[in-house]
Each structure stands twice: as structure tokens, then as C-alpha cells.
Amino acid sequence: MSDAPIWFKPPPPPSVPPKAPPSPPRPVVEVSIDGRAARVPDGSTILDACKTLGIETPTLCYLETLTPVNACRVCVVELVGARTLVPACSRRVEPGMKILTDSERVRLSRKLVLELLASSVDLSTAPSVPPMLARYGARPERFGRPAASSKPGEREGREPGHHHAPDGKRAETVALPAKVDNELYVRDYAKCILCYKCVEACGVDAQNTFAIAVAGRGFDARISTEHDVVLPDSACVYCGNCIGVCPTGALMFTSEHEMRKRGTWDESRQKTTDTICPYCGVGCTLTLHTQDNRIVKVSSPMDVSITQGHLCVKGRFGFEFVHGGGAGGGGAGGGAEATGGDRAAKARRDG
């Protein structure tokens, strides 16, 4: 008899994960955009078709990794024969469509939307908005001076549908004090445009935590936790994916918020470095944002298949240990405040 073992010896595992099988080819749809022919796969959006021609279409609520919700209406285009303007981010192309992206009707709509947003929301930390305002000649100041900020809890306590008639001299705003109820990030809803990105990232598109949703009606609609409880008492797991998708700075690292208050935040002096998260074996890619040789915040590239821009609490916030931590380690700006690693550990214990 042979001395060879009788059991089967499996082959060694592959050195790289196997790739998914290629998708079957989709039929091509031809449309006309601003008089130019565009050929894109069936199921593509108008925004996808515009990109193939190099046509820049402004967006605020759109992100490649999230389900389009058509909230901001900045990307609307004119579809010849249609009664209303259509959102380019979600409307699928159909054969023979004739699309106008820069008609007088489109420009007027985008201008008004931007004016309404800029007159009611603090867009000082939304870097993509000023070029849009200039491009369409938007003048949000024509609606009057901004109204006074609401008191804490005032907007949440309003009864839907009951409003006082405006005096016509001031522009109603969503201004209210920032919510600082945890040590990891700040919620400043005076800067919120209700783009729904944070809700989508917290929901089925990424985290499946469902800690936040839209509450209220009309102008008093707002992002809220369940029953408007403070964040530590909510279902939040502090992954920070809502921060990663926020286009206006309404959701912000505590380190960045504190540095902006002190006037030390300077993106022109910051560098970014990609590395791999050290906490587990998943291998998430981290983009470290550093200023003065200190990590000030962490993000993740959207084009990496492992994360698609999303992280967990450890990868997003547990970075301060590289600064030494402990006594005198300090936060992003130095000092004796709690570090990001301390904050992440506390969030994990509380959650």
C-alpha cells in the first residue's frame, strides 16, 4: 500500500481575492445634449451622459456611492417636450431624448435654488457653492438680511404648518446653535441644506444603523435622531460616515470645529496621506489629513472597493494614539483636551 494520505489536500488559497464576474453588456442609448450626440449604456442617468461629453453639471445632494434623492434640485436640466425640469442625477436616459443643460430656463431655476439656499443656510464651509453662485449670478442678499438665530429647541418645538407672516424685511433662516453633545463630532444644522446624504449613509446605502432621519415639515424640516434625543442616547455608532458625505460642513470633526473656532484651521497647509487602518484585518484605506505634523481628521477614498468612502468608529476617530496620547498628548491643536483615541474608546463603551 502507498504511504500517501488518503484524504484530499486542498489547493493553496489565492493570493488575491477573486474578481466578480463581468456584467453582461448593456444596450447603448443615444441622446442629444446641447445639440451634441451622446451614447451611453442603457440605465445611465442624464448626469452620466453629461459626463461623457465633459459637460459640468452642478450637484449638491448627489454622490456616486449613494442612492439619488433629488433633494437639492441644483442639477435640473430641460428635457425638450417635458412640462417640468428634470433632475439629471436620477432621470434615466431614453432613446431620442433632447436635453438642454444651459438654457435660460435651467439657469433661472438653478439661480433661484442657490439664492434660496444661500439666504437661509450658512454656507461658509461649503467650498463648492461660491463658484455656483458666481456662475449663475445668484444674489441671495436680495431676500433681505438674515433673521435672528433660533434658540435651542425652538425649531424642534414648532407645530408644523403654523407660521407667522413674514415682514418682508428679513430672510428666514435655519440658524440655530450647534449641537455639541458628544466628543467626536459636532452637528451644526445652521449649515444643513437637507441633502439627505447623511440619512442615506446612515441607512441602507452604507451603515444600516438608521440613527437619523428627517423630522418636521416644510421650512422646519430638519435632520433629527429618534425623538430628538442627544446623540449618545441614540442608535448612533459613531462611524462618522455622515461626516464623510456632508457637502456643507454641517457635520464636522470636533478637532476641525475647535481649530476653526481658534482660527488655526488652514487647508492650504494640510497634506493628505493614504495608509491602511491598523485596527483589524479588513484593510480599509484611510486618508490622513495632517497639519503641522498632526493628524486633524481622517477620511477614506470613494474609489476603493473595500470601503467606498465609509469607515467605522475606530478607523474614523481612533487616530490620536499616534501623537502619544496620555498626559499632555492633547487633541489636534495641542493642549490637554480629550484625544480622538480617547473619544473613540468612550464612544465604543457608551455604544
Side-chain angles (χ1 to χ4, degrees):
M1 293 181 60
S2 172
D3 293 334
I6 61 174
W7 56 83
F8 172 72
K9 185 177 181 180
S15 58
V16 294
K19 295 182 179 180
S23 302
R26 293 184 290 172
V28 175
V29 176
E30 184 169 335
V31 297
S32 172
I33 304 179
D34 295 337
R36 300 162 60 189
R39 294 169 56 85
V40 292
D42 185 33
S44 301
T45 63
I46 294 177
L47 185 60
D48 294 330
C50 289
K51 289 179 179 179
T52 65
L53 297 179
I55 298 175
E56 183 181 353
T57 305
T59 62
L60 283 174
C61 70
Y62 173 76
L63 197 64
E64 292 87 346
T65 57
L66 301 177
T67 303
V69 293
N70 322 323
C72 73
R73 315 305 288 188
V74 173
C75 72
V76 291
V77 296
E78 185 172 356
L79 182 59
V80 176
R83 180 177 62 87
T84 62
L85 301 177
V86 299
C89 67
S90 63
R91 181 64 183 267
R92 306 291 180 181
V93 294
E94 299 172 13
M97 270 185 170
K98 293 184 178 180
I99 302 160
L100 303 175
T101 67
D102 203 39
S103 66
E104 183 179 354
R105 187 181 178 194
V106 169
R107 293 187 64 86
L108 178 61
S109 176
R110 291 177 180 174
K111 173 185 177 181
L112 183 57
V113 167
L114 290 168
E115 287 179 337
L116 291 172
L117 284 176
S119 66
S120 59
V121 180
D122 176 9
L123 298 176
S124 60
T125 53
S128 64
V129 172
M132 295 184 194
L133 297 175
R135 177 179 177 181
Y136 296 102
R139 296 176 52 252
E141 65 275 6
R142 70 187 181 93
F143 292 114
R145 293 182 298 168
S149 172
S150 301
K151 298 178 181 178
E154 182 179 347
R155 287 191 67 209
E156 293 83 352
R158 291 177 183 171
E159 186 175 354
H162 292 260
H163 301 277
H164 297 292
D167 58 11
K169 298 178 181 179
R170 294 183 180 272
E172 180 66 18
T173 71
V174 297
L176 73 166
K179 294 179 181 290
V180 186
D181 53 12
N182 69 94
E183 296 181 318
L184 295 179
Y185 67 97
V186 174
R187 298 178 292 156
D188 188 355
Y189 290 137
K191 300 178 179 180
C192 177
I193 60 171
L194 284 180
C195 69
Y196 288 71
K197 283 183 179 179
C198 59
V199 176
E200 296 295 301
C202 190
V204 295
D205 282 356
Q207 191 62 29
N208 285 281
T209 297
F210 305 98
I212 53 176
V214 177
R217 300 287 297 276
F219 195 81
D220 289 328
R222 61 201 177 274
I223 305 298
S224 176
T225 56
E226 64 270 26
H227 304 292
D228 195 36
V229 299
V230 293
L231 210 61
D233 293 341
S234 73
C236 178
V237 296
Y238 297 94
C239 64
N241 292 328
C242 54
I243 307 173
V245 300
C246 180
T248 63
L251 303 170
M252 186 178 291
F253 276 74
T254 299
S255 55
E256 178 179 349
H257 180 75
E258 293 172 350
M259 291 178 68
R260 285 183 181 274
K261 284 201 305 182
R262 293 194 297 264
T264 58
W265 181 265
D266 187 356
E267 294 187 6
S268 66
R269 293 161 48 201
Q270 294 177 12
K271 299 179 180 179
T272 58
T273 306
D274 285 355
T275 185
I276 302 300
C277 179
Y279 279 105
C280 75
V282 174
C284 297
T285 300
L286 307 180
T287 299
L288 308 180
H289 300 251
T290 59
Q291 179 178 326
D292 299 331
N293 205 32
R294 297 187 68 88
I295 301 173
V296 293
K297 72 174 183 179
V298 176
S299 60
S300 184
M302 287 192 301
D303 58 354
V304 176
S305 60
I306 295 177
T307 62
Q308 291 188 321
H310 305 304
L311 296 170
C312 74
V313 59
K314 292 176 287 186
R316 182 85 61 178
F317 296 107
F319 57 83
E320 284 279 353
F321 71 92
V322 302
H323 298 154
E337 65 266 27
T339 67
D342 297 333
R343 294 163 178 161
K346 184 178 185 299
R348 293 195 298 274
R349 291 195 303 269
D350 295 344

Coordinates of all heavy atoms in Angstrom, one line a residue, residues 87-172:
P87 N -34.4 66.2 -12.8 CA -33.1 66.1 -12.1 C -32.2 65.2 -12.9 O -32.5 64.0 -13.1 CB -33.4 65.5 -10.7 CG -34.7 64.8 -11.0 CD -35.5 65.5 -12.0
A88 N -31.0 65.7 -13.3 CA -30.1 64.9 -14.1 C -29.5 63.8 -13.3 O -29.1 62.8 -13.9 CB -28.9 65.9 -14.6
C89 N -29.4 63.9 -11.9 CA -28.7 62.9 -11.1 C -29.5 61.6 -11.1 O -28.9 60.5 -10.8 CB -28.5 63.4 -9.7 SG -30.0 63.7 -8.8
S90 N -30.8 61.6 -11.4 CA -31.6 60.4 -11.2 C -32.5 60.0 -12.4 O -32.9 58.9 -12.6 CB -32.6 60.5 -10.0 OG -33.5 61.6 -10.2
R91 N -32.7 60.9 -13.3 CA -33.5 60.6 -14.5 C -32.7 59.8 -15.5 O -31.6 60.1 -15.9 CB -34.0 61.9 -15.2 CG -34.8 61.7 -16.4 CD -36.1 61.0 -16.1 NE -36.9 60.7 -17.3 CZ -37.9 61.6 -17.8 NH1 -38.1 62.7 -17.1 NH2 -38.5 61.2 -18.8
R92 N -33.3 58.6 -15.8 CA -32.6 57.7 -16.7 C -32.7 58.2 -18.2 O -33.8 58.8 -18.5 CB -33.2 56.3 -16.6 CG -33.2 55.7 -15.2 CD -31.8 55.4 -14.7 NE -31.8 54.9 -13.4 CZ -30.7 54.6 -12.7 NH1 -29.5 54.7 -13.2 NH2 -30.8 54.1 -11.5
V93 N -31.7 57.9 -19.0 CA -31.8 58.3 -20.4 C -32.7 57.4 -21.1 O -32.9 56.2 -20.8 CB -30.4 58.3 -21.0 CG1 -29.5 59.3 -20.4 CG2 -29.8 56.9 -20.9
E94 N -33.4 58.0 -22.2 CA -34.2 57.2 -23.1 C -33.8 57.5 -24.5 O -33.4 58.7 -24.8 CB -35.7 57.6 -22.8 CG -36.2 57.2 -21.4 CD -37.6 57.8 -21.1 OE1 -38.2 58.2 -22.1 OE2 -38.0 57.8 -19.9
P95 N -34.0 56.6 -25.4 CA -33.6 56.8 -26.8 C -34.3 58.1 -27.4 O -35.5 58.3 -27.2 CB -34.0 55.6 -27.5 CG -34.1 54.5 -26.5 CD -34.5 55.2 -25.2
G96 N -33.5 58.9 -28.0 CA -34.0 60.1 -28.7 C -34.2 61.3 -27.8 O -34.7 62.3 -28.3
M97 N -33.9 61.2 -26.6 CA -34.0 62.4 -25.7 C -33.2 63.6 -26.2 O -32.1 63.5 -26.7 CB -33.5 62.1 -24.3 CG -34.5 61.5 -23.3 SD -33.7 61.3 -21.7 CE -35.2 60.9 -20.7
K98 N -33.8 64.8 -26.1 CA -33.1 66.0 -26.4 C -33.0 66.8 -25.1 O -34.1 67.2 -24.6 CB -33.9 66.8 -27.5 CG -33.8 66.1 -28.9 CD -34.5 66.9 -29.9 CE -34.4 66.3 -31.3 NZ -35.1 67.1 -32.4
I99 N -31.8 67.1 -24.7 CA -31.6 67.6 -23.3 C -30.9 69.0 -23.5 O -29.9 69.1 -24.3 CB -30.8 66.7 -22.5 CG1 -31.5 65.3 -22.4 CG2 -30.5 67.2 -21.1 CD1 -30.6 64.2 -22.0
L100 N -31.3 69.9 -22.7 CA -30.6 71.3 -22.7 C -30.1 71.5 -21.2 O -30.9 71.5 -20.3 CB -31.6 72.4 -23.1 CG -32.2 72.2 -24.5 CD1 -33.3 73.3 -24.7 CD2 -31.2 72.3 -25.6
T101 N -28.8 71.7 -21.1 CA -28.3 71.8 -19.7 C -28.0 73.3 -19.4 O -27.7 73.5 -18.2 CB -26.9 71.0 -19.6 OG1 -26.0 71.7 -20.5 CG2 -27.1 69.6 -20.0
D102 N -28.1 74.2 -20.3 CA -27.7 75.6 -20.0 C -28.7 76.6 -20.6 O -28.3 77.7 -21.0 CB -26.3 75.9 -20.5 CG -25.6 77.0 -19.8 OD1 -25.8 77.2 -18.5 OD2 -24.9 77.8 -20.4
S103 N -29.9 76.2 -20.8 CA -30.9 77.1 -21.3 C -31.3 78.2 -20.3 O -31.0 78.1 -19.2 CB -32.2 76.3 -21.7 OG -32.8 75.7 -20.6
E104 N -32.0 79.2 -20.8 CA -32.4 80.3 -19.9 C -33.3 79.7 -18.8 O -33.2 80.2 -17.6 CB -33.2 81.3 -20.7 CG -33.6 82.5 -19.9 CD -34.3 83.6 -20.7 OE1 -34.4 83.4 -21.9 OE2 -34.8 84.6 -20.1
R105 N -34.1 78.8 -19.1 CA -35.0 78.2 -18.1 C -34.2 77.5 -17.0 O -34.5 77.6 -15.8 CB -36.0 77.3 -18.8 CG -37.1 76.7 -17.9 CD -38.0 75.8 -18.7 NE -39.0 75.2 -17.8 CZ -39.7 74.1 -18.2 NH1 -39.5 73.6 -19.4 NH2 -40.6 73.6 -17.4
V106 N -33.2 76.7 -17.4 CA -32.3 76.0 -16.5 C -31.5 76.9 -15.6 O -31.5 76.8 -14.4 CB -31.4 75.0 -17.3 CG1 -30.3 74.5 -16.3 CG2 -32.2 73.9 -17.9
R107 N -30.9 77.9 -16.2 CA -30.1 78.9 -15.5 C -30.9 79.7 -14.5 O -30.5 79.9 -13.3 CB -29.4 79.9 -16.4 CG -28.4 79.2 -17.4 CD -27.7 80.3 -18.2 NE -26.9 81.2 -17.3 CZ -25.7 80.9 -16.9 NH1 -25.0 79.8 -17.2 NH2 -25.0 81.8 -16.1
L108 N -32.2 80.0 -14.8 CA -33.0 80.8 -13.9 C -33.4 79.9 -12.7 O -33.4 80.3 -11.5 CB -34.3 81.2 -14.6 CG -35.3 82.0 -13.7 CD1 -34.7 83.2 -13.1 CD2 -36.6 82.3 -14.5
S109 N -33.7 78.6 -13.0 CA -34.1 77.7 -11.9 C -32.9 77.5 -10.9 O -33.1 77.5 -9.7 CB -34.5 76.3 -12.5 OG -34.8 75.4 -11.4
R110 N -31.7 77.2 -11.5 CA -30.5 77.0 -10.6 C -30.2 78.3 -9.8 O -29.8 78.2 -8.7 CB -29.4 76.6 -11.5 CG -29.5 75.2 -12.1 CD -28.3 74.9 -13.0 NE -28.5 73.5 -13.6 CZ -27.7 73.0 -14.5 NH1 -26.6 73.8 -15.0 NH2 -27.9 71.8 -15.0
K111 N -30.3 79.4 -10.5 CA -30.0 80.7 -9.8 C -31.0 80.8 -8.6 O -30.5 81.1 -7.4 CB -30.2 81.8 -10.7 CG -30.1 83.2 -10.0 CD -30.4 84.3 -11.0 CE -30.3 85.7 -10.3 NZ -30.7 86.8 -11.3
L112 N -32.3 80.6 -8.7 CA -33.2 80.8 -7.7 C -33.0 79.8 -6.5 O -33.1 80.1 -5.4 CB -34.6 80.7 -8.2 CG -35.8 80.9 -7.2 CD1 -35.6 82.3 -6.5 CD2 -37.1 80.8 -7.9
V113 N -32.7 78.5 -6.9 CA -32.5 77.5 -5.9 C -31.3 77.9 -5.0 O -31.3 77.8 -3.8 CB -32.3 76.1 -6.6 CG1 -31.7 75.1 -5.6 CG2 -33.6 75.6 -7.1
L114 N -30.2 78.3 -5.7 CA -29.0 78.7 -5.0 C -29.3 79.9 -4.1 O -28.7 80.0 -3.0 CB -27.9 79.0 -5.9 CG -27.3 77.8 -6.7 CD1 -26.4 78.2 -7.8 CD2 -26.5 76.9 -5.7
E115 N -30.1 80.9 -4.6 CA -30.4 82.1 -3.8 C -31.2 81.7 -2.5 O -30.9 82.2 -1.4 CB -31.1 83.1 -4.6 CG -30.3 83.8 -5.6 CD -31.1 84.8 -6.5 OE1 -32.3 84.6 -6.6 OE2 -30.5 85.7 -7.0
L116 N -32.1 80.8 -2.7 CA -33.0 80.4 -1.6 C -32.1 79.6 -0.5 O -32.2 79.8 0.7 CB -34.1 79.5 -2.0 CG -35.2 80.2 -2.8 CD1 -36.2 79.2 -3.4 CD2 -36.0 81.2 -2.0
L117 N -31.2 78.8 -1.0 CA -30.3 78.1 -0.1 C -29.4 79.0 0.6 O -29.3 79.0 1.9 CB -29.5 77.0 -0.8 CG -30.2 75.7 -1.3 CD1 -29.3 74.9 -2.1 CD2 -30.7 75.0 -0.1
A118 N -28.7 79.9 -0.1 CA -27.7 80.8 0.5 C -28.3 81.8 1.4 O -27.6 82.3 2.3 CB -26.9 81.4 -0.6
S119 N -29.6 82.2 1.2 CA -30.2 83.2 2.0 C -30.7 82.6 3.4 O -31.0 83.3 4.3 CB -31.4 83.8 1.3 OG -32.4 82.9 1.1
S120 N -30.8 81.3 3.4 CA -31.4 80.6 4.6 C -30.4 79.7 5.4 O -30.7 79.3 6.5 CB -32.7 79.8 4.3 OG -32.3 78.8 3.3
V121 N -29.3 79.4 4.7 CA -28.3 78.4 5.3 C -27.0 79.1 5.3 O -26.6 79.8 4.4 CB -28.3 77.1 4.5 CG1 -27.3 76.1 5.1 CG2 -29.7 76.5 4.4
D122 N -26.2 78.8 6.4 CA -24.8 79.2 6.4 C -24.0 78.3 5.6 O -23.7 77.2 5.9 CB -24.3 79.2 7.9 CG -22.9 79.5 8.0 OD1 -22.2 80.0 7.1 OD2 -22.3 79.4 9.2
L123 N -23.5 78.8 4.4 CA -22.7 78.0 3.5 C -21.2 78.4 3.5 O -20.5 78.2 2.6 CB -23.3 78.2 2.1 CG -24.7 77.7 1.9 CD1 -25.2 78.1 0.5 CD2 -24.8 76.3 2.2
S124 N -20.8 79.0 4.7 CA -19.4 79.4 4.8 C -18.4 78.3 4.7 O -17.2 78.6 4.4 CB -19.2 80.2 6.1 OG -19.5 79.4 7.2
T125 N -18.8 77.1 5.0 CA -17.8 75.9 4.9 C -18.2 75.0 3.8 O -17.9 73.8 3.9 CB -17.8 75.2 6.3 OG1 -19.1 74.8 6.7 CG2 -17.1 76.1 7.3
A126 N -18.9 75.5 2.8 CA -19.3 74.7 1.6 C -18.5 75.2 0.4 O -18.9 76.1 -0.3 CB -20.8 74.8 1.4
P127 N -17.3 74.6 0.2 CA -16.4 75.2 -0.8 C -17.0 75.1 -2.2 O -16.5 75.9 -3.1 CB -15.2 74.3 -0.7 CG -15.6 73.0 0.0 CD -16.8 73.4 0.9
S128 N -17.9 74.2 -2.5 CA -18.4 74.1 -3.9 C -19.5 75.1 -4.2 O -19.8 75.3 -5.4 CB -19.0 72.7 -4.1 OG -20.1 72.5 -3.3
V129 N -20.0 75.8 -3.3 CA -21.1 76.7 -3.5 C -20.7 78.1 -4.1 O -21.4 78.6 -5.0 CB -22.0 76.9 -2.2 CG1 -23.0 78.0 -2.4 CG2 -22.6 75.6 -1.8
P130 N -19.7 78.8 -3.6 CA -19.4 80.1 -4.2 C -19.2 80.1 -5.7 O -19.7 81.0 -6.3 CB -18.1 80.5 -3.4 CG -18.2 79.8 -2.1 CD -18.9 78.5 -2.4
P131 N -18.5 79.1 -6.3 CA -18.4 79.1 -7.7 C -19.7 79.0 -8.4 O -20.0 79.6 -9.5 CB -17.5 77.9 -8.0 CG -16.7 77.7 -6.8 CD -17.6 78.1 -5.7
M132 N -20.7 78.2 -7.8 CA -22.0 78.1 -8.4 C -22.7 79.5 -8.3 O -23.4 79.9 -9.3 CB -22.8 77.1 -7.6 CG -22.3 75.7 -7.7 SD -23.4 74.5 -6.8 CE -22.4 73.1 -6.7
L133 N -22.6 80.2 -7.2 CA -23.3 81.5 -7.1 C -22.8 82.4 -8.1 O -23.6 83.2 -8.8 CB -23.0 82.0 -5.7 CG -23.6 81.3 -4.5 CD1 -23.2 81.9 -3.2 CD2 -25.1 81.2 -4.5
A134 N -21.5 82.4 -8.3 CA -20.9 83.3 -9.3 C -21.3 82.9 -10.7 O -21.6 83.7 -11.6 CB -19.4 83.3 -9.2
R135 N -21.3 81.6 -11.0 CA -21.6 81.1 -12.3 C -23.0 81.5 -12.8 O -23.3 81.8 -14.0 CB -21.5 79.6 -12.3 CG -21.9 78.9 -13.7 CD -21.7 77.4 -13.6 NE -22.1 76.7 -14.8 CZ -22.1 75.4 -15.0 NH1 -21.6 74.6 -14.0 NH2 -22.4 74.9 -16.1
Y136 N -24.0 81.5 -11.9 CA -25.4 81.8 -12.2 C -25.8 83.2 -11.8 O -27.0 83.5 -11.9 CB -26.3 80.7 -11.7 CG -26.0 79.4 -12.3 CD1 -25.3 78.4 -11.6 CD2 -26.4 79.1 -13.6 CE1 -25.0 77.2 -12.1 CE2 -26.2 77.9 -14.1 CZ -25.4 76.9 -13.4 OH -25.1 75.7 -14.0
G137 N -24.9 84.0 -11.3 CA -25.2 85.4 -10.9 C -26.2 85.4 -9.8 O -27.1 86.4 -9.7
A138 N -26.2 84.5 -8.8 CA -27.1 84.4 -7.7 C -26.8 85.5 -6.7 O -25.7 85.8 -6.4 CB -27.1 83.1 -7.1
R139 N -27.9 86.2 -6.2 CA -27.8 87.3 -5.2 C -28.7 87.0 -4.1 O -29.8 87.5 -4.0 CB -28.2 88.6 -5.9 CG -27.2 89.0 -7.0 CD -27.7 90.4 -7.6 NE -27.9 91.4 -6.6 CZ -29.1 91.8 -6.3 NH1 -30.2 91.3 -6.9 NH2 -29.3 92.8 -5.4
P140 N -28.3 86.1 -3.1 CA -29.1 85.8 -2.0 C -29.5 86.9 -1.1 O -30.5 86.9 -0.4 CB -28.3 84.7 -1.2 CG -26.9 84.9 -1.7 CD -27.0 85.4 -3.1
E141 N -28.7 88.0 -1.1 CA -28.9 89.1 -0.3 C -30.2 89.9 -0.7 O -30.7 90.7 0.1 CB -27.8 90.1 -0.3 CG -27.5 90.8 -1.6 CD -26.6 89.9 -2.6 OE1 -26.3 88.8 -2.2 OE2 -26.2 90.4 -3.6
R142 N -30.7 89.6 -1.9 CA -31.9 90.3 -2.3 C -33.2 89.9 -1.5 O -34.2 90.6 -1.6 CB -32.2 90.1 -3.8 CG -32.6 88.7 -4.2 CD -32.7 88.6 -5.7 NE -33.1 87.3 -6.2 CZ -34.4 87.0 -6.5 NH1 -35.3 87.9 -6.4 NH2 -34.7 85.8 -7.0
F143 N -33.1 88.8 -0.7 CA -34.2 88.4 0.1 C -34.2 89.1 1.5 O -35.1 88.9 2.3 CB -34.2 86.9 0.3 CG -34.5 86.2 -1.0 CD1 -33.6 85.4 -1.6 CD2 -35.8 86.2 -1.5 CE1 -33.8 84.6 -2.7 CE2 -36.0 85.5 -2.7 CZ -35.1 84.8 -3.3
G144 N -33.2 90.0 1.7 CA -33.1 90.7 3.0 C -32.1 90.2 3.9 O -31.4 89.1 3.6
R145 N -31.9 90.9 5.0 CA -30.9 90.4 6.0 C -31.4 89.2 6.7 O -32.6 89.0 6.9 CB -30.7 91.5 7.0 CG -30.0 92.8 6.4 CD -29.7 93.8 7.5 NE -31.0 94.2 8.1 CZ -31.1 94.9 9.3 NH1 -30.0 95.3 9.9 NH2 -32.3 95.3 9.7
P146 N -30.4 88.3 7.1 CA -30.8 87.0 7.7 C -31.5 87.3 9.1 O -31.2 88.2 9.8 CB -29.5 86.3 8.0 CG -28.6 86.9 7.0 CD -29.0 88.4 6.8
A147 N -32.6 86.5 9.3 CA -33.3 86.7 10.6 C -32.4 86.1 11.7 O -31.4 85.5 11.5 CB -34.6 85.9 10.5
A148 N -32.8 86.5 13.0 CA -32.0 86.0 14.1 C -32.1 84.5 14.3 O -33.0 83.8 13.8 CB -32.6 86.7 15.4
S149 N -31.0 84.0 14.9 CA -30.9 82.6 15.1 C -32.0 82.1 16.1 O -32.4 82.8 17.0 CB -29.5 82.2 15.7 OG -29.5 80.9 16.1
S150 N -32.5 80.9 15.9 CA -33.4 80.3 16.8 C -32.7 79.9 18.1 O -31.5 79.7 18.1 CB -34.0 79.0 16.2 OG -34.7 79.3 14.9
K151 N -33.5 79.8 19.1 CA -33.0 79.4 20.4 C -32.9 77.8 20.4 O -33.6 77.2 19.7 CB -33.9 79.9 21.6 CG -33.9 81.4 21.7 CD -34.9 81.8 22.8 CE -35.0 83.3 22.9 NZ -35.9 83.8 23.9
P152 N -32.1 77.3 21.3 CA -32.0 75.8 21.4 C -33.4 75.2 21.6 O -34.1 75.5 22.5 CB -31.1 75.5 22.6 CG -30.3 76.8 22.7 CD -31.1 77.9 22.2
G153 N -33.8 74.2 20.7 CA -35.0 73.5 20.9 C -36.2 74.3 20.3 O -37.3 73.7 20.2
E154 N -36.0 75.5 19.8 CA -37.2 76.3 19.3 C -37.7 75.7 18.0 O -38.9 75.5 17.9 CB -36.7 77.7 19.0 CG -37.9 78.6 18.6 CD -37.4 80.1 18.4 OE1 -36.3 80.4 18.8 OE2 -38.2 80.8 17.8
R155 N -36.9 75.4 17.0 CA -37.3 74.8 15.8 C -38.0 73.5 16.0 O -39.0 73.2 15.4 CB -36.2 74.7 14.8 CG -35.7 76.0 14.2 CD -34.8 75.8 13.0 NE -35.4 75.2 11.9 CZ -34.9 74.4 11.0 NH1 -33.6 74.1 11.1 NH2 -35.6 73.9 10.0
E156 N -37.4 72.7 16.9 CA -37.9 71.4 17.1 C -39.3 71.4 17.7 O -40.1 70.5 17.6 CB -37.0 70.6 18.0 CG -35.6 70.2 17.4 CD -34.6 71.3 17.5 OE1 -35.0 72.4 17.9 OE2 -33.5 71.1 17.1
G157 N -39.6 72.5 18.4 CA -40.9 72.6 19.1 C -42.0 73.3 18.3 O -43.1 73.3 18.8
R158 N -41.7 73.7 17.1 CA -42.7 74.4 16.3 C -43.8 73.4 15.8 O -43.4 72.2 15.5 CB -42.1 75.1 15.1 CG -41.3 76.3 15.5 CD -40.7 76.9 14.3 NE -39.8 78.0 14.6 CZ -39.0 78.7 13.7 NH1 -38.9 78.2 12.5 NH2 -38.2 79.7 14.1
E159 N -45.0 73.8 15.8 CA -46.0 72.9 15.2 C -46.1 73.1 13.7 O -46.2 74.2 13.2 CB -47.4 73.3 15.8 CG -48.5 72.4 15.4 CD -49.8 72.8 16.1 OE1 -49.8 73.7 17.0 OE2 -50.8 72.1 15.8
P160 N -46.0 71.9 13.0 CA -45.9 72.0 11.5 C -47.1 72.8 11.0 O -48.3 72.6 11.4 CB -46.0 70.5 11.1 CG -45.5 69.8 12.3 CD -45.9 70.6 13.5
G161 N -46.8 73.6 10.0 CA -47.9 74.4 9.3 C -48.3 75.7 10.0 O -49.1 76.4 9.4
H162 N -47.8 76.0 11.2 CA -48.1 77.2 11.9 C -47.0 78.2 11.9 O -46.0 78.0 12.5 CB -48.6 76.9 13.3 CG -49.8 76.1 13.4 ND1 -51.0 76.7 13.7 CD2 -50.1 74.8 13.2 CE1 -52.0 75.7 13.7 NE2 -51.4 74.6 13.4
H163 N -47.1 79.2 11.1 CA -46.0 80.2 10.9 C -46.6 81.6 11.0 O -47.7 81.9 10.5 CB -45.2 80.0 9.6 CG -44.6 78.7 9.5 ND1 -43.4 78.3 10.0 CD2 -45.1 77.5 8.8 CE1 -43.1 77.1 9.7 NE2 -44.1 76.6 9.0
H164 N -45.8 82.5 11.5 CA -46.2 83.9 11.5 C -45.9 84.5 10.1 O -44.9 84.1 9.4 CB -45.5 84.7 12.5 CG -45.8 84.3 13.9 ND1 -47.0 84.5 14.5 CD2 -45.0 83.6 14.9 CE1 -47.0 84.0 15.7 NE2 -45.8 83.5 16.0
A165 N -46.7 85.4 9.6 CA -46.5 86.1 8.3 C -45.2 86.8 8.4 O -44.9 87.6 9.3 CB -47.6 87.0 8.0
P166 N -44.3 86.7 7.4 CA -43.0 87.4 7.4 C -43.2 88.9 7.2 O -44.2 89.3 6.6 CB -42.3 86.8 6.2 CG -43.3 86.3 5.3 CD -44.5 85.9 6.2
D167 N -42.3 89.7 7.6 CA -42.4 91.1 7.5 C -41.8 91.6 6.2 O -41.9 92.8 5.8 CB -41.7 91.9 8.7 CG -40.2 91.5 8.8 OD1 -39.7 90.9 7.9 OD2 -39.7 91.9 9.8
G168 N -41.2 90.7 5.4 CA -40.6 91.1 4.1 C -39.3 91.8 4.2 O -38.7 92.2 3.2
K169 N -38.8 92.0 5.4 CA -37.5 92.8 5.6 C -36.3 91.8 5.9 O -35.2 92.2 5.7 CB -37.6 93.8 6.7 CG -38.7 94.9 6.4 CD -38.8 95.8 7.6 CE -39.9 96.9 7.4 NZ -40.0 97.8 8.5
R170 N -36.6 90.7 6.4 CA -35.6 89.7 6.7 C -35.8 88.4 6.1 O -37.0 88.0 5.8 CB -35.5 89.5 8.3 CG -35.1 90.8 9.0 CD -35.0 90.5 10.5 NE -34.6 91.7 11.2 CZ -33.3 92.1 11.4 NH1 -32.3 91.3 10.9 NH2 -33.0 93.2 12.1
A171 N -34.8 87.7 5.8 CA -34.8 86.3 5.2 C -34.9 85.3 6.3 O -34.0 85.3 7.2 CB -33.7 86.1 4.3
E172 N -35.9 84.5 6.3 CA -36.0 83.4 7.3 C -34.8 82.5 7.1 O -34.4 82.2 6.0 CB -37.3 82.6 7.2 CG -37.5 81.5 8.2 CD -37.6 82.0 9.6 OE1 -37.9 83.2 9.8 OE2 -37.4 81.2 10.5

